[in-house]
Amino acid sequence: ARARMTVIPIDQKLTTLANIISIEINDCKADFTFKDIPNEPPENINPSMQSFTNWYYSHYLNNYINGGELSIKIPSEVSTDCKSFLLSIDYQINDPKAGIQFVMPKSEEHFKKSSHAFTSGHYNSSRLWLPCLDNYWSLCTWSLSFNVNASMIAVSNGELTKKIIDNDGKNVTFYYKLDVPTAAPNIGFAIGYFEIYVDPKIPTITHFCLPGLLPLLKYTVTSFHTVYKLYQDILSARFPFKSYKHVFISESYNDYTAYSSFSILNIRLLHSARVIEQHHTSRRLMAVALAQQYFGCFVEIESWNDWWLVAGIAGYLSTIFIKKLFGNSEYKYFIHKEMEALSDYEFDGLPLPPLHTDETLSQVNTDTSIASQRDRIPINYHPYFTFPTQLEMFKRRSQLIMRMIEIRIGEESLLQAFNKLLTLANTAAKHHSHSSQWGNILISTKHFLKTIHLVSGKDIKEFINQWVCRSGIPLFKGSFSFNRKRNTLELELMEKQDKSQFGFYVGPLTICVQEVDGSYTHTLQIEESTYHYDISCHSKSKKNKKKKIPLSNGDETEINFSNADSDSPVLWVRVDPDMHWLRKIVFDQPDYMWQYQMKYERDPLAQYLAVESLKKYVTPDSIQCLTEVINDRHIYYRIRIAAVNALAQCATKTASDWALQRCPIVTSLINIYRKMFGSRSCQNIPRYNNFSYMIGYFIQKAIPIALGTVRDSHGKCPPEILDFIIDLVKYNDNSQNEYTDSYYISSLIDALTNAVSPATTVIGMGESNFSLSEESKIVLPEITHALNYEKIAASYRNCISVSCIKNIRKSQKHGHIPPKSDVFKMYASYPFFQDIREAALDQLADFIKVESSIEDLRWMFSFIENDPVPSMRHYALQAIIKNAPFSNRRKTNSVLNNVEFVERLWNLIGLRCDAMELYTELYGRSTPECIPPILNSPGVFIDLQRRTSRPNISPSMSFDDISIKLSKPSTPQTAASHNSDDDGSSVVSGQDVLKVKIKLGDSVVSGASVATETINPGSKRGSSDDVKSHKKHKHKHKKSSKQSSPFSSSQ
């Protein structure tokens, strides 16, 4: 490939061009020096995340500031006084491991039409396939050409200007031109035998998909024009590019990747009108990808420190789409779940660094030139040093903080700020040939604050300092009591500090008290970690009679006070009801108040929280309230599903009450199902499937799954539940339904999986005399039938196979079938569909954790090293992270915590951030404890394959502190010689054994000499003698199982 670019020098005394790989400058050959960042850590580095991070960051920083990965010397023939240079870069990529992905099916001929290639990978990955300045603040315009097979189509950034067929007619060249200044990470392409669909509503939008998927594509993008027009309306700005393209491909690294003027999406998002579940997910992800065209692809960041802005604005715009298309209830539920996921990670996961660091917000930097950004590379937020899970949490936190800004300045003012940023960027982008005018295309935190102040008149600097420049979220635990004499509500709030640098929250907090005479809002000022507040009530004590009560939304309703405290006018209390703050709240109030909140509060979030709390109170009134919720068709369907799950938990908690009879709650749930979906002539048999009432469809799926979780006092699932679920599977009939029942059958198999109870096992029973339990004889035939039927008629996204794989693992864990991993390895292998492979990897990771299987762990690492699909290698590492066999944070251990595991994981550290995250989860930032101290101390490394020895000396030790003695064996056949290699290291030769005596400094080994050890160069890895020899040391450490070297396999 050849890249030609025009570079405008800023320094008139320029003698070298940095960060550019070049062959010619103004048609004159130029010398260059390549200094790529190494992917693998050196052998003598201490195997800890702290050491690796410091080493890698020093290499990256040195390359970034002192010449880039490749420096090119300007030839003497080229005048340094010229205003610009023309660089012609010839380069070749052979078998790329990242950056570009090739999907080449090897099956039948008609499948070869599915071959395609596309750009793929992590943020900041363009350098892997394109010589460029690989950051978001180095902008330029682009002209791209692709020479491909005549029957293929190339899709890339900008406008297709022309298409020229070669003279022989075999190839065709596509020419694209992008006039909008764009950074290299937002440049990409996709090439394949695509089918084309022009959007009938907006002709400037074009959709591409693989052969045979056009009908699915047409339905998936049916309503895409609505979000396209919505963004233009709320931002009061036109789409920043002349056209927009969707390309749906397989095996993509992410479900969606946004590039300037086009997006690459996974074919998993395509679906037909018969699939219900995928509708919401596909439209939301396409909306996020489109929002990133405005902020992320067009308006780009000024430094890595500002990535939270484009992530937060794009996420915020997508939530507006959710509210407009799916309603306010779905919007509030989505925000609540995002906040819940973030808070769970903040308190249980690895610490999150701040979103923005290293800059003083009190001074606004007006110099937006590209050269001024060179030293702005904070390690906390660079994609090379950030874990994938942390990046996902960054996105969540960023969009939630953007919503908090909206609450403080108003939605209209925030949208005006977005409009101003887009207007300035549009004006700057019109100067195609004047890069000095492109500064307004870049966005920084300082400029964002200035824009907010201009449009709203409000200064949110302190807010940014608290929520953006610091990490963490507050946890509030609260309760209250009513003082009858003073007619006051005595509220107690306790704030818990998480492990981040957030500290204690100081600021306002809203308390909403529903009283007999109406709803009253109180704003409290939080100043300490534990606070007591006295809130005066506006109402007097109520009498036990019905009365119309005014609610917060202005409605009036009658409430029966027979179950309430007659002396208290308080009906229920809510803390931060509108989610104004990023927080986690645990609030306690009597069960009857939760019941009132569920029945009479009109806010769907309040109803959902009430249902979640009622499962803690197993009382007849609570059970009756939950039952009424399920039967009420006017209540938001997610609340009804939550009520179903809450009732199932209540049934388990009351197991001792129905030990010898049927559980009344179970009977009630079964009767609800039969009443809603049972045949009119015989309610024990379900009706023909009819999913046209989609809310009922989700309830129909939820009830069997919830019933499967019910357990009696012996921990067994009641037999009537298993019979009920089996009947649903057997009598399922979808012949008259316009929607597919793939996900419904999948939910029934999930219900069977939940219903699997632990089997009674006999110690010492082998696989040969293993007998199935009566429960397994019922469940396993259905699982086998479903898997076999999938081979004939596959379900959508193979969702039935995914559920069956989970059921097999659950049956293994509960002792119904022998624990074997072969089935999971088979389904995890290429070329099974992506969803099947992911499910198999999840179960295999769980198998490794529970069974402590070293062989399967080795297979998993071979998969990570060799699988042809990058996204699956990424997913395999994430599966191990989620099911870590041991954890440094939780202080758990395993026989898998050995040196071999450390070695193989350490070899992956330099290749992907997932390995860094797993290493940190298992061992923290320090050196793994399973490595013997002698291997982690200053001394000598003996490479038995190369037969060399190298001293590993700490800066505080001198050469006099280390003595090495090599002794010859007594027999001449095994004589060893000690020579000097060319690089200065010692060379050891021998046929059998070698005796080495090493003495370290007194400060390291307390003056003791290391005992003589016998090292066999020909022995296989796994000898326990290496570990046993370390018992003679005075160091205390945990023994390694079978391994002795934390370094490369050749050592």
Side-chain angles (χ1 to χ4, degrees):
R2 164 165 288 201
R4 298 173 64 90
M5 62 185 71
T6 300
V7 178
I8 301 175
I10 299 175
D11 188 353
Q12 294 181 355
K13 299 180 180 180
L14 185 67
T15 57
T16 62
L17 295 177
N19 298 338
I20 299 175
I21 303 174
S22 179
I23 301 297
E24 297 177 352
I25 300 179
N26 289 352
D27 297 327
C28 298
K29 288 189 176 181
D31 296 330
F32 60 90
T33 304
F34 184 68
K35 298 184 297 181
D36 194 9
I37 302 176
N39 282 331
E40 297 182 0
E43 294 179 349
N44 61 350
I45 190 176
N46 185 29
S48 67
M49 276 305 304
Q50 186 65 48
S51 300
F52 171 78
T53 304
N54 293 339
W55 166 81
Y56 193 84
Y57 185 61
S58 65
H59 275 270
Y60 180 85
L61 190 63
N62 180 66
N63 275 13
Y64 190 85
I65 295 179
N66 300 323
E69 296 177 4
L70 191 143
S71 297
I72 308 162
K73 186 177 181 180
I74 299 179
S76 58
E77 298 86 351
V78 179
S79 172
T80 57
D81 296 331
C82 58
K83 295 183 178 180
S84 63
F85 298 98
L86 179 64
L87 286 83
S88 299
I89 305 173
D90 294 325
Y91 65 100
Q92 185 177 5
I93 301 176
N94 295 319
D95 190 22
K97 302 300 182 183
I100 300 177
Q101 184 173 343
F102 293 86
V103 181
M104 306 291 292
K106 299 179 181 179
S107 53
E108 301 177 8
E109 183 66 24
H110 65 278
F111 283 111
K112 292 184 179 179
K113 283 288 185 180
S114 299
S115 300
H116 55 286
F118 55 93
T119 49
S120 175
H122 202 45
Y123 302 96
N124 202 222
S125 301
S126 296
R127 55 180 289 273
L128 301 177
W129 67 274
L130 175 69
C132 61
L133 303 177
D134 199 10
N135 57 58
Y136 286 93
W137 47 92
S138 297
L139 308 178
C140 62
T141 56
W142 298 81
S143 295
L144 306 163
S145 62
F146 304 89
N147 185 265
V148 300
N149 186 280
S151 56
M152 286 186 169
I153 297 175
V155 184
S156 187
N157 308 84
E159 304 302 309
L160 178 63
T161 57
K162 56 183 176 179
K163 184 172 67 172
I164 300 177
I165 301 177
D166 292 355
N167 294 331
D168 56 6
K170 294 182 179 180
N171 291 344
V172 61
T173 304
F174 292 82
Y175 293 88
Y176 285 89
K177 186 174 182 60
L178 181 62
D179 291 330
V180 177
T182 302
N186 286 324
I187 299 299
F189 66 85
I191 300 172
Y193 300 92
F194 298 130
E195 296 184 9
I196 305 175
Y197 176 64
V198 179
D199 196 293
K201 302 288 185 180
I202 305 176
T204 56
I205 300 177
T206 309
H207 312 280
F208 301 83
C209 68
L210 297 176
L213 300 178
L214 188 58
L216 300 181
L217 172 67
K218 289 182 178 180
Y219 180 77
T220 304
V221 300
T222 300
S223 60
F224 181 73
H225 64 280
T226 58
V227 61
Y228 187 88
K229 294 179 179 178
L230 174 66
Y231 287 164
Q232 289 186 335
D233 293 339
I234 63 177
L235 294 173
S236 300
R238 297 180 61 85
F239 188 68
F241 303 100
K242 296 179 181 179
S243 64
Y244 183 59
K245 298 171 284 291
H246 272 148
V247 185
F248 290 87
I249 48 86
S250 63
E251 301 181 8
S252 64
Y253 192 79
N254 299 308
D255 281 338
Y256 69 93
T257 304
Y259 298 100
S260 294
S261 76
F262 91 107
S263 297
I264 292 178
L265 302 100
N266 197 302
I267 59 173
R268 296 195 296 179
L269 303 182
L270 297 175
H271 64 96
S272 68
R274 301 187 71 237
V275 180
I276 297 175
E277 283 80 356
Q278 192 63 38
H279 181 278
H280 180 279
T281 302
S282 295
R283 278 147 187 78
R284 183 178 63 82
L285 294 182
M286 287 191 293
V288 176
L290 182 62
Q292 289 181 358
Q293 295 296 315
Y294 289 90
F295 292 92
C297 295
F298 178 56
V299 176
E300 302 179 70
I301 58 176
E302 191 173 295
S303 70
W304 291 116
N305 230 3
D306 305 307
W307 188 67
W308 76 274
L309 282 171
V310 293
I313 296 175
Y316 170 78
L317 293 176
S318 67
T319 59
I320 294 180
F321 167 74
I322 292 176
K323 185 190 296 186
K324 297 289 184 181
L325 186 65
F326 301 111
N328 189 59
S329 297
E330 182 67 22
Y331 166 76
K332 285 196 170 185
Y333 177 82
F334 176 79
I335 295 297
H336 170 72
K337 284 300 179 182
E338 291 289 287
M339 197 175 293
E340 188 176 60
L342 178 61
S343 61
D344 290 343
Y345 185 87
E346 288 273 13
F347 285 95
D348 299 331
L350 298 172
L352 283 176
L355 298 180
H356 184 89
T357 55
D358 298 340
E359 292 189 73
T360 304
L361 297 176
S362 58
Q363 298 178 354
V364 178
N365 180 19
T366 58
D367 181 10
T368 58
S369 62
I370 297 173
S372 68
Q373 314 303 325
R374 293 189 59 187
D375 57 345
R376 300 186 184 184
I377 44 175
I379 191 172
N380 283 350
Y381 213 44
H382 195 284
Y384 284 0
F385 307 99
T386 309
F387 302 151
T389 307
Q390 288 183 329
L391 281 177
E392 291 300 316
M393 295 301 155
F394 282 152
K395 293 178 183 178
R396 284 192 169 100
R397 185 178 180 91
S398 299
Q399 78 174 18
L400 291 173
I401 288 178
M402 200 59 62
R403 177 180 175 272
M404 293 166 63
I405 295 175
E406 176 219 294
I407 294 172
R408 271 130 201 87
I409 69 173
E411 180 179 348
E412 184 178 354
S413 296
L414 184 59
L415 294 178
Q416 285 179 1
F418 297 162
N419 173 264
K420 186 173 182 60
L421 294 172
L422 290 172
T423 302
L424 293 174
N426 272 312
T427 303
K430 293 178 180 178
H431 301 280
H432 299 160
S433 59
H434 297 84
S435 60
S436 60
Q437 305 294 325
W438 294 350
N440 285 329
I441 299 178
L442 304 177
I443 184 175
S444 69
T445 303
K446 296 175 181 178
H447 294 127
F448 179 71
L449 293 182
K450 183 178 179 181
T451 304
I452 292 292
H453 183 70
L454 288 175
V455 300
S456 67
K458 297 182 179 179
D459 187 358
I460 59 170
K461 192 182 305 177
E462 291 301 323
F463 172 85
I464 295 296
N465 282 328
Q466 182 173 15
W467 294 97
V468 178
C469 297
R470 289 193 293 173
S471 61
I473 60 174
L475 167 62
F476 295 106
K477 293 185 177 181
S479 61
F480 71 91
S481 60
F482 179 71
N483 190 318
R484 294 177 178 83
K485 294 182 179 179
R486 300 172 55 195
N487 196 37
T488 58
L489 187 72
E490 298 177 349
L491 178 68
E492 180 178 352
L493 282 178
M494 181 178 65
E495 183 180 349
K496 179 182 177 182
Q497 186 177 15
D498 64 4
K499 57 183 176 297
S500 68
Q501 54 181 283
F502 183 84
F504 290 106
Y505 167 76
V506 177
L509 188 66
T510 302
I511 307 294
C512 182
V513 181
Q514 177 65 52
E515 301 182 23
V516 174
D517 292 342
S519 178
Y520 299 94
T521 301
H522 308 269
T523 301
L524 308 180
Q525 190 67 26
I526 306 295
E527 296 178 354
E528 297 179 3
S529 59
T530 302
Y531 233 67
H532 298 273
Y533 303 91
D534 291 337
I535 301 175
S536 299
C537 294
H538 297 74
S539 311
K540 296 183 178 180
S541 60
K542 55 184 175 289
K543 297 180 180 179
N544 292 329
K545 64 179 182 179
K546 291 184 178 180
K547 178 182 178 182
K548 284 191 174 183
I549 304 298
L551 303 176
S552 57
N553 64 343
D555 295 345
E556 290 188 353
T557 184
E558 291 187 355
I559 298 180
N560 188 352
F561 298 136
S562 58
N563 296 325
D565 184 358
S566 59
D567 295 328
S568 173
V570 179
L571 300 180
W572 64 82
V573 178
R574 299 179 62 195
V575 179
D576 190 23
D578 296 320
M579 297 181 290
H580 284 180
W581 298 102
L582 183 55
R583 79 294 185 270
K584 184 176 182 179
I585 295 176
V586 179
F587 194 72
D588 186 30
Q589 61 183 351
D591 59 338
Y592 74 87
M593 291 189 175
W594 291 118
Q595 295 168 23
Y596 285 158
Q597 181 172 317
M598 174 59 245
K599 292 180 180 180
Y600 305 113
E601 179 62 69
R602 297 296 183 259
D603 184 3
L605 179 61
Q607 294 176 333
Y608 180 84
L609 295 176
V611 168
E612 289 293 309
S613 300
L614 279 175
K615 61 187 178 185
K616 305 174 186 176
Y617 304 94
V618 187
T619 63
D621 291 333
S622 297
I623 294 173
Q624 179 63 28
C625 178
L626 293 173
T627 304
E628 292 175 357
V629 171
I630 299 173
N631 289 313
D632 192 344
R633 294 168 62 98
H634 298 92
I635 295 179
Y636 180 48
Y637 80 98
R638 293 193 186 274
I639 300 172
R640 296 172 68 186
I641 292 174
V644 170
N645 296 325
L647 265 185
Q649 294 186 36
C650 291
T652 301
K653 292 179 180 179
T654 59
S656 58
D657 299 335
W658 47 272
L660 301 178
Q661 57 186 352
R662 288 198 171 195
C663 174
I665 300 178
V666 170
T667 303
S668 175
L669 280 173
I670 293 177
N671 289 338
I672 290 174
Y673 185 95
R674 289 172 174 171
K675 181 180 178 181
M676 290 182 176
F677 313 108
S679 173
R680 295 178 181 177
S681 58
C682 180
Q683 288 193 345
N684 292 339
I685 300 177
R687 294 196 298 263
Y688 292 114
N689 290 339
N690 181 8
F691 301 154
S692 58
Y693 177 55
M694 294 185 183
I695 294 178
Y697 163 68
F698 288 107
I699 303 297
Q700 187 175 0
K701 289 198 311 177
I703 292 178
I705 294 176
L707 283 172
T709 63
V710 177
R711 295 292 182 268
D712 59 18
S713 56
H714 301 288
K716 300 286 186 179
C717 183
E720 61 268 20
I721 292 180
L722 187 59
D723 295 339
F724 171 72
I725 299 174
I726 290 293
D727 286 341
L728 295 181
V729 175
K730 289 182 177 180
Y731 294 115
N732 177 61
D733 191 338
N734 204 58
S735 59
Q736 300 182 15
N737 191 14
E738 61 177 317
Y739 297 98
T740 179
D741 64 344
S742 296
Y743 280 105
Y744 176 62
I745 296 176
S746 174
S747 69
L748 295 180
I749 295 176
D750 290 340
L752 289 176
T753 302
N754 292 340
V756 174
S757 306
T760 303
T761 57
V762 179
I763 299 177
M765 182 174 60
E767 185 177 338
S768 59
N769 57 355
F770 197 94
S771 59
L772 293 177
S773 63
E774 293 300 322
E775 185 178 352
S776 298
K777 293 178 181 179
I778 299 174
V779 175
L780 290 180
E782 298 297 335
I783 302 301
T784 305
H785 175 268
L787 279 174
N788 291 334
Y789 191 77
E790 278 275 82
K791 299 176 182 178
I792 302 173
S795 59
Y796 176 73
R797 290 181 57 171
N798 294 109
C799 60
I800 295 178
S801 294
V802 170
S803 296
C804 291
I805 292 172
K806 296 177 182 178
N807 184 280
I808 293 173
R809 178 64 194 135
K810 184 74 172 289
S811 299
Q812 289 180 351
K813 292 175 68 174
H814 286 332
H816 292 282
I817 57 178
K820 299 182 69 174
S821 61
D822 296 344
V823 62
F824 308 124
K825 294 178 183 177
M826 179 190 70
Y827 281 116
S829 302
Y830 189 81
F832 277 99
F833 187 68
Q834 184 173 348
D835 288 33
I836 293 181
R837 302 186 72 195
E838 290 177 356
L841 289 172
D842 286 333
Q843 305 315 311
L844 184 59
D846 180 75
F847 184 93
I848 293 171
K849 176 182 179 180
V850 175
E851 306 296 335
S852 298
S853 173
I854 296 179
E855 290 301 322
D856 292 307
L857 183 60
R858 290 170 180 162
W859 185 94
M860 192 74 127
F861 270 92
S862 297
F863 179 96
I864 294 168
E865 294 163 353
N866 303 315
D867 193 81
V869 183
S871 61
M872 297 312 303
R873 301 198 295 269
H874 157 76
Y875 192 90
L877 279 166
Q878 287 296 318
I880 301 177
I881 293 171
K882 295 175 184 176
N883 290 278
F886 54 92
S887 174
N888 175 73
R889 293 185 296 109
R890 299 178 179 86
K891 303 302 179 183
T892 57
N893 213 327
S894 168
V895 295
L896 300 178
N897 186 5
N898 55 51
V899 181
E900 178 190 4
F901 189 19
V902 175
E903 175 185 335
R904 297 198 68 172
L905 184 56
W906 184 253
N907 290 336
L908 295 172
I909 285 292
L911 301 179
R912 51 183 58 86
C913 294
D914 302 278
M916 297 168 58
E917 182 175 1
L918 177 58
Y919 203 94
T920 306
E921 171 68 28
L922 299 177
Y923 308 113
R925 303 283 295 177
S926 58
T927 306
E929 295 181 357
C930 63
I931 297 180
I934 184 62
L935 299 178
N936 188 28
S937 304
V940 177
F941 295 117
I942 306 296
D943 189 329
L944 299 180
Q945 185 170 355
R946 296 176 54 199
R947 303 188 179 188
T948 62
S949 61
R950 301 185 309 279
N952 178 34
I953 307 168
S954 68
S956 60
M957 295 180 62
S958 64
F959 282 94
D960 296 335
D961 296 327
I962 304 176
S963 62
I964 308 172
K965 181 180 181 180
L966 305 178
S967 58
K968 296 182 178 180
S970 57
T971 60
Q973 289 81 3
T974 59
S977 61
H978 186 209
N979 303 314
S980 178
D981 202 356
D982 294 337
D983 59 358
S985 60
S986 301
V987 179
V988 182
S989 62
Q991 298 178 354
D992 190 9
V993 296
L994 172 69
K995 291 185 177 181
V996 183
K997 187 174 184 180
I998 305 173
K999 182 178 180 181
L1000 303 180
D1002 295 340
S1003 61
V1004 179
V1005 220
S1006 303
S1009 297
V1010 178
T1012 301
E1013 301 182 36
T1014 299
I1015 305 176
N1016 187 353
S1019 64
K1020 293 184 178 180
R1021 186 184 307 272
S1023 173
S1024 60
D1025 296 336
D1026 300 336
V1027 177
K1028 291 179 181 178
S1029 64
H1030 295 292
K1031 292 182 179 179
K1032 299 179 182 180
H1033 297 298
K1034 293 184 178 181
H1035 292 281
K1036 295 182 180 180
H1037 60 84
K1038 295 185 178 180
K1039 299 183 182 62
S1040 164
S1041 63
K1042 300 187 178 182
Q1043 296 300 319
S1044 61
S1045 172
F1047 305 103
S1048 67
S1049 58
S1050 64
Q1051 297 173 325

